[in-house]
Structures are given as C-alpha cells and as structure tokens.
Amino acid sequence: MIIGTGTGKTLSIICSALQWLVDRKEKQISENTADSSKNPSGSDDEPDWMKNFVASKETAIEEKEDKKKNKLGNRSMRLTKNRNKKPFGELFNHIGEGEEKDKKNGKGKSDGEELNDEEFLVEEYESEEEGGVGCGQSKRKGGGVYLSSSDEEKDDGFDDEDEEEAALKIYFCSRTHSQLSQFVKELRKTVFASQLTVVCLGSRKSLCIHEEVLKLGNAGRINERCLELQKNKKDDVSKMKVVIMAAFVRPEVDANEQARSDLYVDVQNLGAGGRIRRTKASCRCPMLQKHKLQKQFRREIYKEDSLDIEDLVQLGRRIGTCPYYGSRSMVPPADLVVLPYQSLLSKSSRESLGLKLKNNIVIIDEAHNLADSLISMYDSKITLSQLECVHSQIGKYFERFRNLLGPCNRRYIQTLMVLTRAFLQFLHLENSEGDANTCCEGVSGAKSANDGSMAINEFLFSLNIDNINLVKLLRYIKESNIVHKVSGYGDKTAGLYNGSTLKDGDESCDEGSSLSAFQALADMLLSLTNNDGDGRIIISRRSTGSGQEGGFLKYVMLTGEKLFSEILDKAHAVVLAGGTLQPIEETRERLFPRLTPDSLHFFSCSHIVPPESILPVAVSRGPSGRSFDFSYSSRSSPEVVEELGLLLSNLVTTVPEGIIVFFSSFDYEGQVYDAWKASGILSRISKKKHVFREPRRNTDVEVVLKEYKNTIDALSNGDLKADPTLHINGAILLAVVGGKISEGINFSDGMGRCIVMVGLPYPSPSDIELIERVKHIEGLGETNSNKASQFDEHYNGDVKAGFGILRSCKRRGKDYYENLCMKAVNQSIGRAIRHINDYAAILLVDARYEADSTKGSFSHPSNKLPLWIKARLVSKTDNYGEVHRLLHQFFKFNKKRGIQ
C-alpha cells in the first residue's frame, strides 16, 4: 500500500494503522476467550480486552519476574559456572607455568610488553581442504568480526532475559531521529499512546549516556568502543581469570552485588608464593553492570506513555543504566516499534535487533527516497590510507607470528596480504606506465583520468585475484577473530594504547581506528561476492588538497528489488508514506516491479490548507528585469548573483517574520554569500532581517535553528520593537538543498512565511556513482547486450560526457535524474505550511519554472510539483513588479484574517 498525503499524514497513519492493530488484537482475545470457554480448565470470567490490555501491564511484569526468579539463581554461581571449572587446588599447581614457558622461549620478566604478545595469536583453524569434523571453523569459537558496517552490529550486548513476543506489532520507520521524535509527539495526542506498548529505537550515538564514549564524537568510533566494552566481559576466560568464591567471600560482601566484581583473580598476577592480587574482573560498560537497573528501565517504559529518544536518554540518566540496550530489550513485547531506516531496511540490523517481520505491519515514512536509501546501505568503501594501514598491520602481524601459526592461518593471512597489496597497486599513482595500463585495463575512462568504474568481474580479473574464494575467506575472517587479533596487535605496537610516540615506519590510520579500517576491508570483500550486475566498483585516484596521494575504492549497489523483496515477502502489509512520492512509477520499477496490480494500492488526498493560505509563484525575472538562469553554466555569473541579491533585498521589506532561502549546494551558497558581502547587498538585507546560515556540520545546526527561532519569537513578543533605532522585521536563513534543514525540520507559522527555491538543484553529472545509477535504471528490463550498447562505456566523471549520457536516455534514466531534482525541491518547500491555520508564500526562482504553453512535456518541472502546490501555482509573471504586488496582497489578506 502506498500513501501520498499532505499535512496530517502522520496523524492519519497513526489513527488508521493503530486502530487496525487494536481491532485485530481484540479479535484475537475474543477468539481465545471463546476457545477457553469450551475448555473446562479455562477461565470463565475473562476480562474485557481493553481493561486487560491496559491494566495487566504491571501484573504481567510481576508474574514474569516471579516465574524467572529461580532461573536467575545465585549470581555467584552463575559467574563461576561460565569460567574455569578446575578444582581449587589445581589452580595453584599452574601458577608460574607462564613464566617458565617464557624463560624457555628466551623471555624474561623484563620483557613486560612482549610477555602478552601471544594473547594476539589467532587460534588454530581448519579449512575444508584439511578435512576433519567441523571443517572451516576455529577449534574454539572466536569472537567474530561482523561483515556489515551497520550501526546495529551483531554484538554480545546485554544478556537479557527472554521477553514474551507480542502476537502482532507495527514497525514505523523514518529517515532521521528528529522525524521519529515528531511521530512520537503526534502519537501522544491520541488514545493509543496509553493503550499500546511503544518503544523507540535509535543509534548508539543518540542513546549512549557513557560520557567517555560520547566524547569520541564519531558514530563509528562510538559503536566500536561500545562493542569493545561488551566484548571485554568475556575476555576473562581467555586471560585465565577465575573466581574464587569459597575462599574469599565474606557474608557482608556476598550481600553486596557491586563488591563481587572485585573478587576476580588474575592468574598471571599470582606470584610463586601464592600471593593473590585483587583486580577488577571486567571493564565492561558501567551502565550495564547492574541487571536490576535494566529491569527498572523496562518497568518505567511500561508505565510511561510513548517515550521518544530524548525521553529515553533522560530516563537512562536518571536510573543510571543504558537506554540503548534497554530499549532493544523492549522490542519483543512492544506493539509499536519506532525506528530509523537503517535498523529496519538492513538485514544484518534486523537480525541483530531480533525484528520479526512475519505477518506484521511495516510503515515506511518519508519514502520518496526509499530506493536510494535502501541500496546505499549495502554500499562499501575503503580509502587508500585505510588500505595502507591494514596492509602494514597484517604484514607486521604475519612477521611476528609466522612460526606460531598453523598452515591454514598462514594461508588465509597471506591471502589477505595479496588482496590488500593488489588494491594498493591499483590505487597508487606512481605505478609504472606498463603496470598502470595492466591494472587499469577494463576501467571506464581510467587510462585518461583518475576516476572510473567497472563491474565486479572486470575488477577481479584486472587485479588477477579472480581465483580467490572470497566466501571462504570471509568465513575465516568471521570465525577466526583475525581482525581483532591483528588490529589489537597493531594498535599495541603503534603505541595507541599506552600513549607512546610512533616509531619510524609504523603506520597509523588517518581515518578512524585500525579496527574501522579492517571493517572497511571486510565490507568491501563482502560486496565483491555480489552478482556481477548488482553493482559497480567506483575507482578514484584523486590527490588530496594537501598534495598527498588520496583515493578510494567504492562498491555501489544498483539494484534494490532483491533487498526489498525480503521485507515484502515476510510482512503482512507494507505502507509507503510520503508527501512527495509522486510520480510513483520509478519507485515501483526499482523496488517491486513483479508485484501484481491487485497487491498494490495507491491512495492520495488533497492538502487540508485552504487555497488562500498558499502563494506559489514562478519567478523568472528579477527587479532590474534580468532573467534568472541558474543552470550550471550560468549560475555563477556576477549578473545572476547580483540579481538574486536585489530580489532578496526587496523581499525582506515585504515578507514578515522568517524567510528560508534554499541553494543547490554549500559551495554555491558560500560563493553567493561572499559576493553579496563584497557588493554591500548583504548589509542591505541585514538592516531588515537578521541573517543566519546553515552550518556544514550537523552538530551545529541545532544552535543556528535555536537562534533563528528566538529571533522570530522575539519579534512576535514585541521585543525587537523596543529599540526605535532597529527596523528588524524578522530573520532570513540561508539553507542548502539536501542538508539537514531541508529534511525533517518544520518551519511552521512565522519561522517560514516565505520559501525561496533558488534554481533547479539537479545533481552534478560529474558524479560517477550517479551516472552509473542512471545507466542501470535506464536499462531496467533490458538484456545485458542491449544495456551495453546504449551508452559509451568510457565515462570518467567528465561533465560533458555525463550530460551526453543523460541526453541518450529515453525514459527511465532521464526521469530518475529529473525526479532527484524535483523530490529535493518538493522536500524543501514542504518545510512550510505545517498545519491548517498556517500560511506561506513559495517562490520558485528560475526561468525554467515558468510554464511554456507550446510544450506539454511531462518532464517540465511544474508537472512534478505536489498537486496541492501545482494547482495554485502562478506559473507566469511579466515582471518582478507583479510578483511584489501578489506578495503584498497575500500577506495583507492573511494578516486581516488574524491567522497566527
């Protein structure tokens, strides 16, 4: 089912979907009651469903706790059970064995650092060629490296008790956390907030409350550190840590759960005389050490009505436990799960979170970019610096442990070295001309430029690595824990743990940790196991701005049909919701082309805002009469930039309160801003409205938005009028299409009285990844031979060549390119008009928006505007004076109506 709605979309979905859920659950309860009445052992006085559903939450929790009290048992016994089971006396028989072994190897206590090198030695591994039971597996189960860079990696996490799975649930997902928070706020307006169990999932970066981990800033590093903290709780076994409860537990200590963590004893710290040093057993996250606090966290979620991510963070801080794992443990009993795209659309994330889609409802909001968002989750990328880091660390590791490794480990590690060396030679610019030609053979445009693309098989053959079994290699990486062993040893030798300076020749990873570099390699190898036609390899050998050599390899997934079919086949129904989904044909062809017509239902409704509350105008000329041409070749001309400045100088005197101006890119916005500042136009604008700019860093956006909002609020409250020397009538915000402000941020009422869209934000045809997608979409349904004959394969990022490929597209590819532009336009102008009493003007500033009566082309920009805007569009004006008159009348009329 696909829904394209205007304002009120979210609330409409909530009321319809959740009422359906309540009805189905009520029906199930009735059927169960009828069955139990036929059974003599059943209860004859089954309560009403609604009373049972609302009132039994606390009772159900208590019953589960009583039922599992015996299962928990004594914590001390549980800790002992999972560790060394040797008799107490035998423990001391092994004291000093490690020292004697080191002496035999020529090592003494003075070697300090080297004493523990062997903890990085990978365990023996048996391949299929070597035979034996359990071939292809580590003799002991390894910790595993995960073959997806998803935020929701498979991890040890919190060993939670099993929760009873809700019989039926709804999954609601959107692109950003702010959009999910808006959904929860709308949900609270309904009766369902108190009737249903709701849980909101988010990323570690959004939910983590561990201050030291949060300081890392980068989402990838936060994920790695969180997983590392969870992994450390099981490292006690490998470090021969044991618990000696009988000898050292005092009665008062036994009653103190926190004190038990001090009772671990490290065998390596036991001297020859048997003296025992107490040491902390676990460095796992302190927010997960107390199991009872996680249970309290779940109780609070049951009591509260629909908590969003911010509420969960506050609750976690108040209780002192992790909101990330606490919310995950609430998934099974939840009726409604609110989560971001990545958690639902990525298969590895679904499995990690335990999301069961079978016979449940999936609602995907903001689905206008669903296809691109889905396939981008399966992209992979590794940079030149990451490859150098991995290759260096594998080489050092192999050199150190060569004589201690079994034949299977040696073979696989050497294979990894061969692969990374091949990738490096492929990216390095200083190859000899002959080697370069050999490596680059088959790369589109690679002989004449630094960028290019190629299919998977071409890539493997050109690097002479097509004979490597990547599936077996990936299995080895996962089961042997080789990534953690090598990266751990590499970080140790580089002095990253003890803070020492790097030695000459040591490699450090410039882009994140060494573990993230190894993860990037594993992701790339996994991508190379896809079908040849599923994606393309993008090669970039561009130098960095500092003059150093740069570059990367990137796998771009092109097809989303198989990925989305995993969701369609399991779910009872899938709802795609969005205000800018039209035209829907592109989404259908890319995600579910084989879906029968009777399985696809389209529903659309008009906007609730009355016609007099919106004024969309196509502005083709500026105040001085110059035509607005913001095409790629003309937008940077001084005349066009100046004319745009004159337009804004006039608008700030006519439009009250807030104006949002959208540019096509940060670079162009910066260029225009600098030109206005130099010419004095910016100072003229600033005399009427405070000027704000969208920052490049997403973390700074909230600060700018707060200042912008405070300025508008101060005007509404009359604060700005207190000083007669000020003539400020509001604020203007310079934003970027595709930035954070253009998606998920509401500018209702005075925050967005006018939206100015500068030009048509077509993506650059120099983007190789984009052109590869265009070529793939154009060839949907065609045979491979027909696809190859449609385009000139020698494309290397040249703008003219990119335009040539676009012009050669007949339908699908061209439509996709145009839809990318207009979806971005629709998403941006949709930031205003957020409720029935709101009003705003929308100015589409470019001559190309103007209607041409001689052409009825479907591809005209105005034909791809939302219907509620297109129906009211003033498509042609003779001059700017007419635009100014329309604006003056519009705001005067709405001010008289008293709409606030």
Side-chain angles (χ1 to χ4, degrees), residues 280 636 667 688 745:
K280 285 287 182 182
S636 298
D667 290 339
K688 299 298 294 183
I745 305 296

Side-chain angles (χ1 to χ4, degrees), residues 462-498:
S462 64
L463 271 67
N464 198 27
I465 56 175
D466 55 292
N467 58 336
I468 295 177
N469 190 327
L470 295 178
V471 175
K472 289 179 61 178
L473 179 61
L474 287 166
R475 187 187 304 125
Y476 168 78
I477 292 174
K478 180 177 181 180
E479 294 174 354
S480 67
N481 203 21
I482 184 65
V483 165
H484 288 281
K485 296 289 186 179
V486 175
S487 62
Y489 178 76
D491 288 343
K492 178 184 176 182
T493 57
L496 297 181
Y497 284 166
N498 56 26

Side-chain angles (χ1 to χ4, degrees), residues 372-533:
D372 286 337
S373 298
L374 175 63
I375 61 179
S376 66
M377 293 176 189
Y378 293 84
D379 290 351
S380 60
K381 178 181 178 181
I382 187 166
T383 65
L384 181 62
S385 62
Q386 287 176 323
L387 278 170
E388 290 173 339
C389 173
V390 171
H391 186 68
S392 173
Q393 291 198 7
I394 293 177
K396 288 183 173 67
Y397 181 88
F398 187 71
E399 181 180 356
R400 166 66 181 84
F401 296 103
R402 178 197 300 263
N403 296 330
L404 299 176
L405 295 169
C408 197
N409 280 319
R410 283 200 301 269
R411 183 168 64 253
Y412 279 118
I413 293 174
Q414 287 175 320
T415 301
L416 285 172
M417 295 173 64
V418 168
L419 284 170
T420 53
R421 186 186 304 114
F423 291 164
L424 283 171
Q425 290 176 348
F426 194 67
L427 284 180
H428 273 301
L429 293 173
E430 64 266 21
N431 287 334
S432 64
E433 185 175 351
D435 291 339
N437 289 339
T438 301
C439 286
C440 299
E441 185 177 354
V443 183
S444 300
K447 293 182 180 180
S448 58
N450 290 330
D451 293 348
S453 67
M454 60 199 311
I456 294 178
N457 289 344
E458 289 178 311
F459 180 75
L460 296 176
F461 282 119
S462 64
L463 271 67
N464 198 27
I465 56 175
D466 55 292
N467 58 336
I468 295 177
N469 190 327
L470 295 178
V471 175
K472 289 179 61 178
L473 179 61
L474 287 166
R475 187 187 304 125
Y476 168 78
I477 292 174
K478 180 177 181 180
E479 294 174 354
S480 67
N481 203 21
I482 184 65
V483 165
H484 288 281
K485 296 289 186 179
V486 175
S487 62
Y489 178 76
D491 288 343
K492 178 184 176 182
T493 57
L496 297 181
Y497 284 166
N498 56 26
S500 64
T501 58
L502 294 176
K503 299 178 182 179
D504 293 340
D506 282 341
E507 295 285 347
S508 64
C509 293
D510 298 330
E511 303 175 18
S513 70
S514 60
L515 188 60
S516 64
F518 276 93
Q519 184 63 64
L521 176 64
D523 290 341
M524 177 58 67
L525 296 180
L526 181 64
S527 296
L528 294 177
T529 63
N530 288 316
N531 293 333
D532 186 56

Side-chain angles (χ1 to χ4, degrees), residues 52 57 59 189 193 237 337 400 417 421 469 494 551 567 704 851:
N52 178 60
K57 288 181 179 178
T59 305
K189 300 176 183 178
V237 177
V337 180
R400 166 66 181 84
M417 295 173 64
R421 186 186 304 114
N469 190 327
I567 298 175
V704 174

